[in-house]
Amino acid sequence: MTHHILKATKETVHLGGFSHLLEPALTIDSGDTIDVETYSGYYVYDKAPLEFLTPELLDICQNLAPERKIAAGPHLLTGPVYVRDAEPGDVLEVILEAIAPSLPVGFNAIRTGWGALPHLFSQPALRFIPLDLANNIAEFPQNSGIKIPLKPFFGILGVATPENDRISIPPGSYGGNIDNRELQTGSRVFLPVFVPGALFSIGDGHSAQGDGEVNVTAIETSMNGRIMLKLRKDLHLAIPIAETSTDIITMGFAQTLDEALELALKNMIDFLKRFTNLSAEEAYVLCSLAVNFRITQVVNSPQKGVHGMLPKSILSNPISL
């Protein structure tokens, strides 16, 4: 195994989406680890305070080459990373070994026409929120006494598809803007591979987020992480799944929450049939008795998200993915 360092620069970052036509920012072998740097704030950098606007972020925002502007999505993504021997039909296991904000400030933005209540909150609003990294909290509003624990994660973990470009906002079978706050340090995410090399990208750091991410953003934060990428030829998936220290997580993405719930439930039933040998009916009953279904996000138009959480503690035989 080899350890790599992938800094976020105008040569290693792309904007707005995924593309199999992008030149890789890094080529690795399965099992290699990467210290990866990500930035957030492409569309707000001209309004940002000095502690948010590093020289590197300014260079990216002002000098990113046209060919690295993939689609109209707002996210800066670091990558893509090419994994040798990865082929369509394989699965890429992403092990999140460490995640931490790189700056003591993040932002939250209300965007006109977006969010769960666009008719009530129609005016754009941008707030920069200080992060107390020593105590791992953010106070919002400032001097209110309301202290939010920082639980950092990457909102976007995804791979390229055969389409020439895919916008970074909606999640899907390739991962993308999943925005699942459960995927913190120690989690594993399993992504289907669609193109040779997988072409994995990462970004959209969040220091804190509620389930639903209802106003369209979390505490958006430039984030550093350490990840391991492993090629899994023994797994075959049609949609991402994840594992934390306590739960197995299935996902559903659709235009309505009802449809997303149905997909997350079907994916959990399929998982239980495959890995616990339950019948479909037994798995359905178990989901009603013990699986927690939560709203992942409601704002990534046109794809809303629901995820199901299966507590590993109820299983007599531990599942090892």
Side-chain angles (χ1 to χ4, degrees):
M1 295 188 297
T2 302
H3 183 67
H4 308 266
I5 296 175
L6 181 57
K7 303 289 287 184
T9 70
K10 62 186 178 185
E11 289 81 24
T12 64
V13 162
H14 55 101
L15 174 69
F18 302 86
S19 173
H20 72 284
L21 301 177
L22 271 176
E23 286 295 319
L26 178 68
T27 298
I28 69 167
D29 292 312
S30 175
D32 286 358
T33 55
I34 309 168
D35 280 345
V36 62
E37 181 180 60
T38 70
Y39 279 113
S40 293
Y42 182 85
Y43 288 104
V44 303
Y45 82 91
D46 56 341
K47 305 175 184 68
L50 291 178
E51 60 267 31
F52 184 87
L53 190 61
T54 67
E56 294 82 3
L57 177 57
L58 185 62
D59 187 38
I60 290 169
C61 293
Q62 293 182 340
N63 299 305
L64 192 65
E67 61 268 21
R68 299 196 73 81
K69 298 177 182 180
I70 305 304
H75 302 104
L76 288 170
L77 304 177
T78 303
V81 176
Y82 186 100
V83 183
R84 293 186 183 94
D85 299 325
E87 296 292 341
D90 296 341
V91 168
L92 185 67
E93 179 181 350
V94 184
I95 303 170
L96 300 163
E97 296 186 349
I99 309 170
S102 59
L103 301 172
V105 61
F107 71 90
N108 178 272
I110 298 173
R111 300 175 63 189
T112 300
W114 290 72
L117 299 173
H119 54 295
L120 293 181
F121 300 93
S122 59
Q123 296 302 309
L126 175 63
R127 292 175 172 85
F128 286 89
I129 301 173
L131 307 178
D132 183 346
L133 300 182
N135 294 301
N136 208 39
I137 58 170
E139 186 174 7
F140 180 80
Q142 283 188 267
N143 304 315
S144 67
I146 301 173
K147 297 179 180 179
I148 304 168
L150 301 186
K151 297 183 178 179
F153 68 98
F154 291 104
I156 295 182
L157 306 145
V159 296
T161 64
E163 290 81 7
N164 285 347
D165 54 56
R166 184 182 288 278
I167 194 169
S168 64
I169 291 175
S173 58
Y174 54 94
N177 198 26
I178 299 172
D179 282 338
N180 189 326
R181 70 183 185 94
E182 303 294 339
L183 304 182
Q184 298 169 27
T185 298
S187 302
R188 300 189 294 162
V189 182
F190 300 83
L191 301 171
V193 173
F194 297 95
V195 300
L199 295 177
F200 170 81
S201 296
I202 185 170
D204 190 29
H206 293 175
S207 281
Q209 178 199 296
D211 284 334
E213 197 185 19
V214 294
N215 88 330
V216 84
T217 51
I219 301 182
E220 308 288 323
T221 313
S222 295
M223 198 77 71
N224 291 341
R226 175 170 290 185
I227 61 175
M228 177 185 288
L229 298 181
K230 293 176 65 176
L231 189 57
R232 298 291 300 269
K233 292 185 178 290
D234 59 325
L235 282 178
H236 299 284
L237 301 173
I239 195 165
I241 61 173
E243 181 178 1
T244 71
S245 61
T246 57
D247 294 87
I248 301 292
I249 301 175
T250 61
M251 306 178 196
F253 309 119
Q255 294 191 12
T256 70
L257 285 175
D258 284 346
E259 293 171 318
L261 170 61
E262 184 176 321
L263 288 173
L265 173 56
K266 287 180 177 177
N267 290 333
M268 183 62 76
I269 291 171
D270 288 343
F271 176 88
L272 288 167
K273 287 168 56 183
R274 180 176 175 183
F275 289 96
T276 67
N277 295 319
L278 296 181
S279 69
E281 182 176 291
E282 289 169 333
Y284 183 40
V285 173
L286 182 62
C287 286
S288 192
L289 301 181
V291 177
N292 299 303
F293 289 90
R294 298 176 178 172
I295 297 173
T296 317
Q297 53 76 26
V298 297
V299 294
N300 285 328
S301 179
Q303 297 282 70
K304 303 180 188 302
V306 170
H307 59 279
M309 301 185 64
L310 168 69
K312 295 192 292 187
S313 61
I314 70 173
L315 303 173
S316 58
N317 296 316
I319 294 173
S320 179
L321 294 177

